[in-house]
Amino acid sequence: MLRQAPRFLLSRASAAAMRWSHPFSTDLPAEAAGDSKFIDAWKKSIPNMDPPKTPSAYMATRPPTPSTIPSKLTVNLVLPYDSVLSAKEVDMVIVPATTGQMGVLPGHVATIAELKPGILSVHEGNDTTKYFLSGGFAFVHANSVADIIAIEATPVDHIDPNLVQKGLAEFQQKLSSASTDIEKAEAQIGVDVHSALNAALTG
Amino acid sequence: MASNAAVPFWRAAGMTYITYSNLCANLVRQCLKEPHRSEALNREKVHFSISKWAKGKPEKPKSPVLHYYS
């Protein structure tokens, strides 16, 4: 009887340990494909301990790229204080990138584009909605989701033409009379933004 | 490695991207038509109070400031 005691104690202890080392079933998937080399090396050198989780086990996996090109582009236009478009399905958007107007269709290659002040046009069927963006970034993902982040986005009819003309004249004047680098830069930015607003109103 | 491509004029003048994009946004807000213009400018108002510290103690704080971010 006493000879069985160590075996009994051992089994109780290991049962308790097993309870603690297998926590919640809702835990994230433990092993990502990229970690298999690490896990194999671990198991070879320390077979009795579970391999630790690596950072990629805690990351959500990248959404899969669909094998056929989707028919619609999903657009999110977000501002710091509002999400103007949220998962809207459209046919095309044209974003004002610093390298020029860029059209994004479903199936567009994954891209990150810095935006300059200009017009974002959202094409859905026969309707086009235009927003004037003050600048920001556009992220196009491989699964035909486009995230456009801007600081200000206004419909073009909220822009006052008189204020734009006044501002343009004022900054052109400041540009010619600017002395320090910073003043020149600010004046140039003013001229650029007001010219873009002007073009948006007349275009 | 080659040095970075030509920097934008504002960075060459010592401005950071955040300052640049906030400046652009402010210029756009000031060109809006009336109800939208005051809504936008009000939305961006910041309340803060500044106090200078000397010898480990704050000097008498100035009254709170209301400021358009610019």
Side-chain angles (χ1 to χ4, degrees), chain A residues 81 114 132 134 136-137 151-152 154 157-160 163 171 181-182 185-186 188-190 192-194, chain B residues 9-10 12-15 17 20-25 27-33 36-37 40 43-44:
Chain A
Y81 55 85
E114 183 188 347
F132 184 85
S134 75
F137 289 88
I151 304 196
E152 279 293 335
T154 61
D157 46 14
H158 287 193
I159 304 177
D160 184 343
L163 291 173
F171 279 98
D181 264 348
I182 276 282
E186 287 179 2
Q188 183 64 54
I189 293 171
D192 287 344
V193 172
H194 286 91
Chain B
F9 64 89
W10 40 268
M15 201 185 282
Y17 178 78
Y20 163 72
S21 60
N22 282 332
L23 194 54
C24 290
L27 293 170
V28 171
R29 278 178 214 126
Q30 286 170 355
C31 286
L32 297 177
K33 283 185 186 157
H36 310 286
R37 184 179 196 259
R43 190 194 308 128
E44 298 297 320

mmCIF file of all heavy atoms in Angstrom, chain A residues 81 114 132 134 136-137 151-152 154 157-160 163 171 181-182 185-186 188-190 192-194, chain B residues 9-10 12-15 17 20-25 27-33 36-37 40 43-44:
data_model
loop_
_atom_site.group_PDB
_atom_site.id
_atom_site.type_symbol
_atom_site.label_atom_id
_atom_site.label_comp_id
_atom_site.label_asym_id
_atom_site.label_seq_id
_atom_site.Cartn_x
_atom_site.Cartn_y
_atom_site.Cartn_z
ATOM 1 N N TYR A 81 -12.208 63.289 -36.031
ATOM 2 C CA TYR A 81 -13.413 63.494 -35.228
ATOM 3 C C TYR A 81 -14.632 62.787 -35.800
ATOM 4 O O TYR A 81 -15.722 62.904 -35.242
ATOM 5 C CB TYR A 81 -13.707 65.004 -35.112
ATOM 6 C CG TYR A 81 -13.818 65.678 -36.457
ATOM 7 C CD1 TYR A 81 -15.019 65.690 -37.162
ATOM 8 C CD2 TYR A 81 -12.716 66.290 -37.030
ATOM 9 C CE1 TYR A 81 -15.112 66.285 -38.394
ATOM 10 C CE2 TYR A 81 -12.808 66.889 -38.274
ATOM 11 C CZ TYR A 81 -14.000 66.891 -38.950
ATOM 12 O OH TYR A 81 -14.081 67.475 -40.178
ATOM 13 N N GLU A 114 0.836 58.994 -49.798
ATOM 14 C CA GLU A 114 0.642 60.223 -49.047
ATOM 15 C C GLU A 114 -0.226 61.137 -49.904
ATOM 16 O O GLU A 114 -0.041 61.201 -51.115
ATOM 17 C CB GLU A 114 2.000 60.878 -48.777
ATOM 18 C CG GLU A 114 1.908 62.138 -47.943
ATOM 19 C CD GLU A 114 3.229 62.880 -47.855
ATOM 20 O OE1 GLU A 114 4.270 62.304 -48.228
ATOM 21 O OE2 GLU A 114 3.214 64.033 -47.429
ATOM 22 N N PHE A 132 -13.289 67.481 -50.461
ATOM 23 C CA PHE A 132 -11.979 68.117 -50.510
ATOM 24 C C PHE A 132 -11.222 67.686 -49.268
ATOM 25 O O PHE A 132 -11.665 67.926 -48.153
ATOM 26 C CB PHE A 132 -12.102 69.649 -50.545
ATOM 27 C CG PHE A 132 -10.771 70.303 -50.704
ATOM 28 C CD1 PHE A 132 -10.224 70.490 -51.963
ATOM 29 C CD2 PHE A 132 -10.026 70.686 -49.596
ATOM 30 C CE1 PHE A 132 -8.976 71.065 -52.123
ATOM 31 C CE2 PHE A 132 -8.774 71.267 -49.740
ATOM 32 C CZ PHE A 132 -8.248 71.452 -51.003
ATOM 33 N N SER A 134 -7.808 67.790 -46.816
ATOM 34 C CA SER A 134 -6.699 68.704 -46.536
ATOM 35 C C SER A 134 -5.364 67.981 -46.555
ATOM 36 O O SER A 134 -4.334 68.601 -46.413
ATOM 37 C CB SER A 134 -6.891 69.343 -45.162
ATOM 38 O OG SER A 134 -6.594 68.399 -44.180
ATOM 39 N N GLY A 136 -3.324 63.790 -45.933
ATOM 40 C CA GLY A 136 -3.435 62.577 -45.134
ATOM 41 C C GLY A 136 -2.771 61.437 -45.861
ATOM 42 O O GLY A 136 -1.776 61.633 -46.559
ATOM 43 N N PHE A 137 -3.323 60.246 -45.674
ATOM 44 C CA PHE A 137 -2.755 59.059 -46.306
ATOM 45 C C PHE A 137 -3.855 58.163 -46.813
ATOM 46 O O PHE A 137 -4.965 58.170 -46.291
ATOM 47 C CB PHE A 137 -1.919 58.251 -45.295
ATOM 48 C CG PHE A 137 -0.647 58.933 -44.924
ATOM 49 C CD1 PHE A 137 -0.599 59.823 -43.878
ATOM 50 C CD2 PHE A 137 0.513 58.697 -45.653
ATOM 51 C CE1 PHE A 137 0.573 60.475 -43.543
ATOM 52 C CE2 PHE A 137 1.692 59.336 -45.326
ATOM 53 C CZ PHE A 137 1.722 60.226 -44.265
ATOM 54 N N ILE A 151 -7.221 64.827 -42.293
ATOM 55 C CA ILE A 151 -7.529 65.631 -41.115
ATOM 56 C C ILE A 151 -8.827 66.395 -41.323
ATOM 57 O O ILE A 151 -9.624 66.554 -40.396
ATOM 58 C CB ILE A 151 -6.377 66.575 -40.792
ATOM 59 C CG1 ILE A 151 -5.109 65.762 -40.632
ATOM 60 C CG2 ILE A 151 -6.657 67.344 -39.527
ATOM 61 C CD1 ILE A 151 -3.998 66.489 -39.944
ATOM 62 N N GLU A 152 -9.050 66.922 -42.531
ATOM 63 C CA GLU A 152 -10.317 67.592 -42.830
ATOM 64 C C GLU A 152 -10.829 67.078 -44.166
ATOM 65 O O GLU A 152 -10.044 66.940 -45.104
ATOM 66 C CB GLU A 152 -10.119 69.107 -42.965
ATOM 67 C CG GLU A 152 -10.052 69.879 -41.654
ATOM 68 C CD GLU A 152 -11.368 69.891 -40.892
ATOM 69 O OE1 GLU A 152 -12.436 69.743 -41.528
ATOM 70 O OE2 GLU A 152 -11.326 70.032 -39.678
ATOM 71 N N THR A 154 -14.211 68.007 -46.565
ATOM 72 C CA THR A 154 -15.490 68.710 -46.677
ATOM 73 C C THR A 154 -16.055 68.506 -48.064
ATOM 74 O O THR A 154 -15.304 68.412 -49.037
ATOM 75 C CB THR A 154 -15.318 70.222 -46.466
ATOM 76 O OG1 THR A 154 -14.450 70.717 -47.473
ATOM 77 C CG2 THR A 154 -14.734 70.530 -45.116
ATOM 78 N N ASP A 157 -19.224 71.853 -51.919
ATOM 79 C CA ASP A 157 -20.106 73.015 -51.815
ATOM 80 C C ASP A 157 -20.090 73.672 -50.456
ATOM 81 O O ASP A 157 -20.807 74.650 -50.232
ATOM 82 C CB ASP A 157 -21.541 72.663 -52.244
ATOM 83 C CG ASP A 157 -22.002 71.368 -51.631
ATOM 84 O OD1 ASP A 157 -21.333 70.896 -50.701
ATOM 85 O OD2 ASP A 157 -23.025 70.821 -52.087
ATOM 86 N N HIS A 158 -19.267 73.180 -49.507
ATOM 87 C CA HIS A 158 -19.111 73.895 -48.247
ATOM 88 C C HIS A 158 -17.996 74.933 -48.327
ATOM 89 O O HIS A 158 -17.716 75.596 -47.332
ATOM 90 C CB HIS A 158 -18.767 72.919 -47.111
ATOM 91 C CG HIS A 158 -19.922 72.076 -46.677
ATOM 92 N ND1 HIS A 158 -19.910 71.336 -45.522
ATOM 93 C CD2 HIS A 158 -21.113 71.839 -47.229
ATOM 94 C CE1 HIS A 158 -21.059 70.673 -45.400
ATOM 95 N NE2 HIS A 158 -21.798 70.961 -46.422
ATOM 96 N N ILE A 159 -17.322 75.026 -49.474
ATOM 97 C CA ILE A 159 -16.163 75.917 -49.575
ATOM 98 C C ILE A 159 -16.632 77.265 -50.100
ATOM 99 O O ILE A 159 -17.416 77.343 -51.040
ATOM 100 C CB ILE A 159 -15.103 75.323 -50.513
ATOM 101 C CG1 ILE A 159 -14.714 73.921 -50.025
ATOM 102 C CG2 ILE A 159 -13.869 76.206 -50.549
ATOM 103 C CD1 ILE A 159 -13.745 73.234 -50.923
ATOM 104 N N ASP A 160 -16.134 78.345 -49.477
ATOM 105 C CA ASP A 160 -16.548 79.688 -49.853
ATOM 106 C C ASP A 160 -15.552 80.276 -50.851
ATOM 107 O O ASP A 160 -14.392 80.501 -50.504
ATOM 108 C CB ASP A 160 -16.586 80.541 -48.577
ATOM 109 C CG ASP A 160 -17.104 81.932 -48.832
ATOM 110 O OD1 ASP A 160 -17.141 82.360 -49.998
ATOM 111 O OD2 ASP A 160 -17.475 82.592 -47.852
ATOM 112 N N LEU A 163 -13.562 83.566 -49.788
ATOM 113 C CA LEU A 163 -12.481 83.371 -48.818
ATOM 114 C C LEU A 163 -11.277 82.726 -49.489
ATOM 115 O O LEU A 163 -10.125 83.029 -49.149
ATOM 116 C CB LEU A 163 -12.972 82.509 -47.657
ATOM 117 C CG LEU A 163 -14.005 83.182 -46.753
ATOM 118 C CD1 LEU A 163 -14.546 82.185 -45.749
ATOM 119 C CD2 LEU A 163 -13.380 84.355 -46.026
ATOM 120 N N PHE A 171 -1.674 85.004 -49.356
ATOM 121 C CA PHE A 171 -0.483 84.172 -49.233
ATOM 122 C C PHE A 171 0.500 84.410 -50.366
ATOM 123 O O PHE A 171 1.715 84.278 -50.176
ATOM 124 C CB PHE A 171 -0.847 82.691 -49.111
ATOM 125 C CG PHE A 171 -1.258 82.312 -47.716
ATOM 126 C CD1 PHE A 171 -2.590 82.239 -47.372
ATOM 127 C CD2 PHE A 171 -0.304 82.069 -46.753
ATOM 128 C CE1 PHE A 171 -2.966 81.919 -46.079
ATOM 129 C CE2 PHE A 171 -0.668 81.744 -45.455
ATOM 130 C CZ PHE A 171 -2.000 81.672 -45.113
ATOM 131 N N ASP A 181 13.250 81.098 -43.773
ATOM 132 C CA ASP A 181 12.842 79.830 -44.383
ATOM 133 C C ASP A 181 11.444 79.427 -43.943
ATOM 134 O O ASP A 181 10.612 78.989 -44.742
ATOM 135 C CB ASP A 181 13.807 78.711 -43.949
ATOM 136 C CG ASP A 181 14.884 78.501 -44.985
ATOM 137 O OD1 ASP A 181 14.748 79.047 -46.100
ATOM 138 O OD2 ASP A 181 15.854 77.788 -44.687
ATOM 139 N N ILE A 182 11.180 79.549 -42.631
ATOM 140 C CA ILE A 182 9.875 79.128 -42.111
ATOM 141 C C ILE A 182 8.762 79.978 -42.705
ATOM 142 O O ILE A 182 7.702 79.467 -43.087
ATOM 143 C CB ILE A 182 9.872 79.199 -40.572
ATOM 144 C CG1 ILE A 182 10.471 77.923 -39.991
ATOM 145 C CG2 ILE A 182 8.476 79.380 -40.028
ATOM 146 C CD1 ILE A 182 9.539 76.737 -39.994
ATOM 147 N N ALA A 185 8.162 78.848 -46.153
ATOM 148 C CA ALA A 185 7.474 77.550 -46.187
ATOM 149 C C ALA A 185 5.999 77.728 -45.887
ATOM 150 O O ALA A 185 5.137 77.167 -46.572
ATOM 151 C CB ALA A 185 8.117 76.591 -45.193
ATOM 152 N N GLU A 186 5.686 78.533 -44.843
ATOM 153 C CA GLU A 186 4.274 78.717 -44.497
ATOM 154 C C GLU A 186 3.522 79.403 -45.622
ATOM 155 O O GLU A 186 2.380 79.056 -45.935
ATOM 156 C CB GLU A 186 4.161 79.526 -43.203
ATOM 157 C CG GLU A 186 4.548 78.720 -41.975
ATOM 158 C CD GLU A 186 4.463 79.527 -40.706
ATOM 159 O OE1 GLU A 186 4.062 80.705 -40.766
ATOM 160 O OE2 GLU A 186 4.805 78.971 -39.642
ATOM 161 N N GLN A 188 4.288 79.325 -48.774
ATOM 162 C CA GLN A 188 4.155 78.383 -49.885
ATOM 163 C C GLN A 188 3.037 77.395 -49.630
ATOM 164 O O GLN A 188 2.263 77.048 -50.525
ATOM 165 C CB GLN A 188 5.492 77.635 -50.074
ATOM 166 C CG GLN A 188 5.507 76.685 -51.226
ATOM 167 C CD GLN A 188 5.342 77.388 -52.542
ATOM 168 O OE1 GLN A 188 6.067 78.315 -52.868
ATOM 169 N NE2 GLN A 188 4.340 76.985 -53.309
ATOM 170 N N ILE A 189 2.938 76.936 -48.372
ATOM 171 C CA ILE A 189 1.861 76.001 -48.026
ATOM 172 C C ILE A 189 0.517 76.687 -48.235
ATOM 173 O O ILE A 189 -0.435 76.101 -48.768
ATOM 174 C CB ILE A 189 1.994 75.528 -46.568
ATOM 175 C CG1 ILE A 189 3.246 74.677 -46.403
ATOM 176 C CG2 ILE A 189 0.777 74.741 -46.136
ATOM 177 C CD1 ILE A 189 3.564 74.360 -44.975
ATOM 178 N N GLY A 190 0.430 77.964 -47.815
ATOM 179 C CA GLY A 190 -0.821 78.703 -47.993
ATOM 180 C C GLY A 190 -1.203 78.793 -49.454
ATOM 181 O O GLY A 190 -2.360 78.571 -49.842
ATOM 182 N N ASP A 192 -0.235 76.789 -51.886
ATOM 183 C CA ASP A 192 -0.595 75.455 -52.396
ATOM 184 C C ASP A 192 -2.019 75.082 -52.020
ATOM 185 O O ASP A 192 -2.809 74.612 -52.852
ATOM 186 C CB ASP A 192 0.346 74.393 -51.822
ATOM 187 C CG ASP A 192 1.727 74.468 -52.430
ATOM 188 O OD1 ASP A 192 1.873 75.112 -53.484
ATOM 189 O OD2 ASP A 192 2.655 73.888 -51.838
ATOM 190 N N VAL A 193 -2.360 75.276 -50.744
ATOM 191 C CA VAL A 193 -3.689 74.846 -50.279
ATOM 192 C C VAL A 193 -4.767 75.670 -50.960
ATOM 193 O O VAL A 193 -5.774 75.124 -51.427
ATOM 194 C CB VAL A 193 -3.788 74.961 -48.743
ATOM 195 C CG1 VAL A 193 -5.195 74.700 -48.276
ATOM 196 C CG2 VAL A 193 -2.836 74.005 -48.068
ATOM 197 N N HIS A 194 -4.550 77.000 -51.044
ATOM 198 C CA HIS A 194 -5.589 77.821 -51.666
ATOM 199 C C HIS A 194 -5.712 77.556 -53.158
ATOM 200 O O HIS A 194 -6.814 77.607 -53.712
ATOM 201 C CB HIS A 194 -5.339 79.304 -51.380
ATOM 202 C CG HIS A 194 -5.673 79.681 -49.970
ATOM 203 N ND1 HIS A 194 -4.761 79.642 -48.947
ATOM 204 C CD2 HIS A 194 -6.848 80.050 -49.403
ATOM 205 C CE1 HIS A 194 -5.345 79.994 -47.813
ATOM 206 N NE2 HIS A 194 -6.609 80.240 -48.064
ATOM 207 N N PHE B 9 9.697 70.765 -49.256
ATOM 208 C CA PHE B 9 10.226 72.085 -48.904
ATOM 209 C C PHE B 9 9.964 72.428 -47.437
ATOM 210 O O PHE B 9 10.778 73.080 -46.790
ATOM 211 C CB PHE B 9 9.640 73.161 -49.832
ATOM 212 C CG PHE B 9 8.140 73.334 -49.688
ATOM 213 C CD1 PHE B 9 7.613 74.228 -48.761
ATOM 214 C CD2 PHE B 9 7.255 72.604 -50.476
ATOM 215 C CE1 PHE B 9 6.244 74.383 -48.629
ATOM 216 C CE2 PHE B 9 5.893 72.757 -50.354
ATOM 217 C CZ PHE B 9 5.387 73.644 -49.415
ATOM 218 N N TRP B 10 8.831 71.948 -46.891
ATOM 219 C CA TRP B 10 8.533 72.306 -45.509
ATOM 220 C C TRP B 10 9.457 71.594 -44.535
ATOM 221 O O TRP B 10 9.801 72.119 -43.481
ATOM 222 C CB TRP B 10 7.061 72.054 -45.159
ATOM 223 C CG TRP B 10 6.484 70.811 -45.731
ATOM 224 C CD1 TRP B 10 5.819 70.692 -46.916
ATOM 225 C CD2 TRP B 10 6.523 69.501 -45.181
ATOM 226 N NE1 TRP B 10 5.448 69.387 -47.113
ATOM 227 C CE2 TRP B 10 5.867 68.638 -46.064
ATOM 228 C CE3 TRP B 10 7.052 68.964 -43.992
ATOM 229 C CZ2 TRP B 10 5.719 67.274 -45.823
ATOM 230 C CZ3 TRP B 10 6.903 67.600 -43.752
ATOM 231 C CH2 TRP B 10 6.249 66.784 -44.674
ATOM 232 N N ALA B 12 12.520 70.777 -45.275
ATOM 233 C CA ALA B 12 13.815 71.450 -45.426
ATOM 234 C C ALA B 12 13.835 72.733 -44.608
ATOM 235 O O ALA B 12 14.890 73.145 -44.121
ATOM 236 C CB ALA B 12 14.056 71.766 -46.901
ATOM 237 N N ALA B 13 12.667 73.364 -44.440
ATOM 238 C CA ALA B 13 12.609 74.599 -43.660
ATOM 239 C C ALA B 13 12.494 74.324 -42.175
ATOM 240 O O ALA B 13 12.340 75.246 -41.373
ATOM 241 C CB ALA B 13 11.424 75.446 -44.129
ATOM 242 N N GLY B 14 12.488 73.060 -41.755
ATOM 243 C CA GLY B 14 12.463 72.751 -40.330
ATOM 244 C C GLY B 14 11.087 72.440 -39.778
ATOM 245 O O GLY B 14 10.923 72.323 -38.566
ATOM 246 N N MET B 15 10.088 72.261 -40.636
ATOM 247 C CA MET B 15 8.735 71.967 -40.158
ATOM 248 C C MET B 15 8.527 70.463 -40.130
ATOM 249 O O MET B 15 9.008 69.749 -41.007
ATOM 250 C CB MET B 15 7.753 72.618 -41.131
ATOM 251 C CG MET B 15 6.384 72.848 -40.555
ATOM 252 S SD MET B 15 5.268 73.466 -41.808
ATOM 253 C CE MET B 15 5.748 75.135 -41.911
ATOM 254 N N TYR B 17 5.972 66.944 -40.170
ATOM 255 C CA TYR B 17 4.785 66.593 -40.938
ATOM 256 C C TYR B 17 3.518 66.977 -40.181
ATOM 257 O O TYR B 17 2.534 67.425 -40.774
ATOM 258 C CB TYR B 17 4.759 65.079 -41.258
ATOM 259 C CG TYR B 17 3.511 64.706 -42.008
ATOM 260 C CD1 TYR B 17 3.394 64.961 -43.371
ATOM 261 C CD2 TYR B 17 2.418 64.151 -41.363
ATOM 262 C CE1 TYR B 17 2.245 64.673 -44.062
ATOM 263 C CE2 TYR B 17 1.259 63.854 -42.044
ATOM 264 C CZ TYR B 17 1.181 64.118 -43.398
ATOM 265 O OH TYR B 17 0.029 63.835 -44.067
ATOM 266 N N TYR B 20 2.851 70.582 -40.546
ATOM 267 C CA TYR B 20 2.428 70.847 -41.924
ATOM 268 C C TYR B 20 0.980 70.458 -42.136
ATOM 269 O O TYR B 20 0.168 71.237 -42.642
ATOM 270 C CB TYR B 20 3.342 70.075 -42.882
ATOM 271 C CG TYR B 20 2.798 69.937 -44.272
ATOM 272 C CD1 TYR B 20 2.742 71.029 -45.128
ATOM 273 C CD2 TYR B 20 2.333 68.703 -44.739
ATOM 274 C CE1 TYR B 20 2.234 70.899 -46.402
ATOM 275 C CE2 TYR B 20 1.832 68.571 -46.013
ATOM 276 C CZ TYR B 20 1.777 69.684 -46.841
ATOM 277 O OH TYR B 20 1.283 69.541 -48.098
ATOM 278 N N SER B 21 0.601 69.233 -41.720
ATOM 279 C CA SER B 21 -0.760 68.802 -42.049
ATOM 280 C C SER B 21 -1.782 69.541 -41.197
ATOM 281 O O SER B 21 -2.897 69.813 -41.666
ATOM 282 C CB SER B 21 -0.911 67.292 -41.937
ATOM 283 O OG SER B 21 -0.645 66.862 -40.652
ATOM 284 N N ASN B 22 -1.421 69.918 -39.949
ATOM 285 C CA ASN B 22 -2.352 70.721 -39.160
ATOM 286 C C ASN B 22 -2.530 72.105 -39.764
ATOM 287 O O ASN B 22 -3.627 72.674 -39.722
ATOM 288 C CB ASN B 22 -1.857 70.829 -37.711
ATOM 289 C CG ASN B 22 -2.163 69.569 -36.932
ATOM 290 O OD1 ASN B 22 -3.117 68.874 -37.222
ATOM 291 N ND2 ASN B 22 -1.352 69.270 -35.953
ATOM 292 N N LEU B 23 -1.434 72.644 -40.312
ATOM 293 C CA LEU B 23 -1.534 73.946 -40.961
ATOM 294 C C LEU B 23 -2.465 73.881 -42.167
ATOM 295 O O LEU B 23 -3.368 74.713 -42.332
ATOM 296 C CB LEU B 23 -0.127 74.370 -41.380
ATOM 297 C CG LEU B 23 0.114 75.804 -41.795
ATOM 298 C CD1 LEU B 23 -0.354 76.726 -40.720
ATOM 299 C CD2 LEU B 23 1.590 76.010 -42.069
ATOM 300 N N CYS B 24 -2.278 72.847 -43.014
ATOM 301 C CA CYS B 24 -3.153 72.681 -44.180
ATOM 302 C C CYS B 24 -4.605 72.564 -43.746
ATOM 303 O O CYS B 24 -5.501 73.202 -44.314
ATOM 304 C CB CYS B 24 -2.797 71.404 -44.957
ATOM 305 S SG CYS B 24 -1.246 71.471 -45.802
ATOM 306 N N ALA B 25 -4.864 71.761 -42.694
ATOM 307 C CA ALA B 25 -6.242 71.547 -42.258
ATOM 308 C C ALA B 25 -6.842 72.851 -41.765
ATOM 309 O O ALA B 25 -8.011 73.154 -42.036
ATOM 310 C CB ALA B 25 -6.279 70.486 -41.158
ATOM 311 N N LEU B 27 -6.027 75.912 -42.692
ATOM 312 C CA LEU B 27 -6.300 76.789 -43.833
ATOM 313 C C LEU B 27 -7.600 76.375 -44.506
ATOM 314 O O LEU B 27 -8.412 77.223 -44.907
ATOM 315 C CB LEU B 27 -5.140 76.747 -44.822
ATOM 316 C CG LEU B 27 -3.843 77.360 -44.297
ATOM 317 C CD1 LEU B 27 -2.698 77.046 -45.240
ATOM 318 C CD2 LEU B 27 -3.982 78.851 -44.128
ATOM 319 N N VAL B 28 -7.830 75.060 -44.628
ATOM 320 C CA VAL B 28 -9.072 74.594 -45.251
ATOM 321 C C VAL B 28 -10.259 75.005 -44.400
ATOM 322 O O VAL B 28 -11.276 75.485 -44.897
ATOM 323 C CB VAL B 28 -9.041 73.060 -45.438
ATOM 324 C CG1 VAL B 28 -10.393 72.543 -45.868
ATOM 325 C CG2 VAL B 28 -7.984 72.677 -46.447
ATOM 326 N N ARG B 29 -10.132 74.847 -43.065
ATOM 327 C CA ARG B 29 -11.267 75.202 -42.200
ATOM 328 C C ARG B 29 -11.617 76.675 -42.335
ATOM 329 O O ARG B 29 -12.791 77.050 -42.267
ATOM 330 C CB ARG B 29 -10.910 74.936 -40.728
ATOM 331 C CG ARG B 29 -11.081 73.510 -40.331
ATOM 332 C CD ARG B 29 -10.672 73.295 -38.883
ATOM 333 N NE ARG B 29 -10.102 71.975 -38.781
ATOM 334 C CZ ARG B 29 -8.903 71.693 -38.269
ATOM 335 N NH1 ARG B 29 -8.134 72.644 -37.800
ATOM 336 N NH2 ARG B 29 -8.479 70.455 -38.229
ATOM 337 N N GLN B 30 -10.588 77.516 -42.511
ATOM 338 C CA GLN B 30 -10.877 78.947 -42.577
ATOM 339 C C GLN B 30 -11.497 79.361 -43.890
ATOM 340 O O GLN B 30 -11.927 80.498 -44.027
ATOM 341 C CB GLN B 30 -9.594 79.735 -42.321
ATOM 342 C CG GLN B 30 -9.231 79.664 -40.856
ATOM 343 C CD GLN B 30 -7.856 80.211 -40.593
ATOM 344 O OE1 GLN B 30 -7.144 80.561 -41.527
ATOM 345 N NE2 GLN B 30 -7.495 80.283 -39.334
ATOM 346 N N CYS B 31 -11.532 78.453 -44.872
ATOM 347 C CA CYS B 31 -12.129 78.784 -46.164
ATOM 348 C C CYS B 31 -13.514 78.204 -46.318
ATOM 349 O O CYS B 31 -14.037 78.115 -47.427
ATOM 350 C CB CYS B 31 -11.257 78.263 -47.308
ATOM 351 S SG CYS B 31 -9.791 79.232 -47.504
ATOM 352 N N LEU B 32 -14.125 77.749 -45.227
ATOM 353 C CA LEU B 32 -15.448 77.134 -45.374
ATOM 354 C C LEU B 32 -16.530 78.191 -45.306
ATOM 355 O O LEU B 32 -16.327 79.295 -44.818
ATOM 356 C CB LEU B 32 -15.664 76.104 -44.257
ATOM 357 C CG LEU B 32 -14.700 74.929 -44.267
ATOM 358 C CD1 LEU B 32 -14.973 74.024 -43.084
ATOM 359 C CD2 LEU B 32 -14.836 74.136 -45.553
ATOM 360 N N LYS B 33 -17.739 77.830 -45.765
ATOM 361 C CA LYS B 33 -18.889 78.737 -45.676
ATOM 362 C C LYS B 33 -19.393 78.773 -44.252
ATOM 363 O O LYS B 33 -19.135 77.875 -43.454
ATOM 364 C CB LYS B 33 -20.006 78.206 -46.579
ATOM 365 C CG LYS B 33 -19.778 78.466 -48.020
ATOM 366 C CD LYS B 33 -20.987 78.014 -48.818
ATOM 367 C CE LYS B 33 -20.699 78.151 -50.302
ATOM 368 N NZ LYS B 33 -21.543 77.258 -51.097
ATOM 369 N N HIS B 36 -20.531 76.007 -41.300
ATOM 370 C CA HIS B 36 -19.523 74.959 -41.219
ATOM 371 C C HIS B 36 -18.209 75.515 -40.705
ATOM 372 O O HIS B 36 -17.480 74.849 -39.966
ATOM 373 C CB HIS B 36 -19.314 74.330 -42.593
ATOM 374 C CG HIS B 36 -20.595 73.925 -43.244
ATOM 375 N ND1 HIS B 36 -21.314 72.818 -42.845
ATOM 376 C CD2 HIS B 36 -21.308 74.502 -44.224
ATOM 377 C CE1 HIS B 36 -22.401 72.728 -43.579
ATOM 378 N NE2 HIS B 36 -22.428 73.733 -44.418
ATOM 379 N N ARG B 37 -17.904 76.760 -41.074
ATOM 380 C CA ARG B 37 -16.627 77.353 -40.660
ATOM 381 C C ARG B 37 -16.568 77.498 -39.151
ATOM 382 O O ARG B 37 -15.604 77.088 -38.507
ATOM 383 C CB ARG B 37 -16.458 78.712 -41.323
ATOM 384 C CG ARG B 37 -15.139 79.367 -41.040
ATOM 385 C CD ARG B 37 -15.060 80.704 -41.750
ATOM 386 N NE ARG B 37 -13.698 81.180 -41.803
ATOM 387 C CZ ARG B 37 -13.204 82.096 -40.985
ATOM 388 N NH1 ARG B 37 -13.964 82.628 -40.056
ATOM 389 N NH2 ARG B 37 -11.944 82.469 -41.090
ATOM 390 N N ALA B 40 -16.394 74.088 -37.460
ATOM 391 C CA ALA B 40 -15.083 73.445 -37.573
ATOM 392 C C ALA B 40 -14.080 74.125 -36.646
ATOM 393 O O ALA B 40 -13.319 73.454 -35.936
ATOM 394 C CB ALA B 40 -14.595 73.492 -39.012
ATOM 395 N N ARG B 43 -14.754 73.224 -33.076
ATOM 396 C CA ARG B 43 -14.417 71.846 -32.759
ATOM 397 C C ARG B 43 -12.940 71.727 -32.375
ATOM 398 O O ARG B 43 -12.561 70.896 -31.566
ATOM 399 C CB ARG B 43 -14.697 70.968 -33.986
ATOM 400 C CG ARG B 43 -14.614 69.495 -33.741
ATOM 401 C CD ARG B 43 -14.570 68.722 -35.040
ATOM 402 N NE ARG B 43 -15.638 69.079 -35.934
ATOM 403 C CZ ARG B 43 -15.467 69.434 -37.211
ATOM 404 N NH1 ARG B 43 -14.263 69.499 -37.725
ATOM 405 N NH2 ARG B 43 -16.503 69.729 -37.968
ATOM 406 N N GLU B 44 -12.122 72.590 -32.964
ATOM 407 C CA GLU B 44 -10.688 72.457 -32.750
ATOM 408 C C GLU B 44 -10.178 73.320 -31.601
ATOM 409 O O GLU B 44 -8.988 73.382 -31.367
ATOM 410 C CB GLU B 44 -9.933 72.832 -34.027
ATOM 411 C CG GLU B 44 -10.270 71.926 -35.200
ATOM 412 C CD GLU B 44 -9.870 70.494 -34.971
ATOM 413 O OE1 GLU B 44 -8.791 70.252 -34.411
ATOM 414 O OE2 GLU B 44 -10.655 69.590 -35.320
#
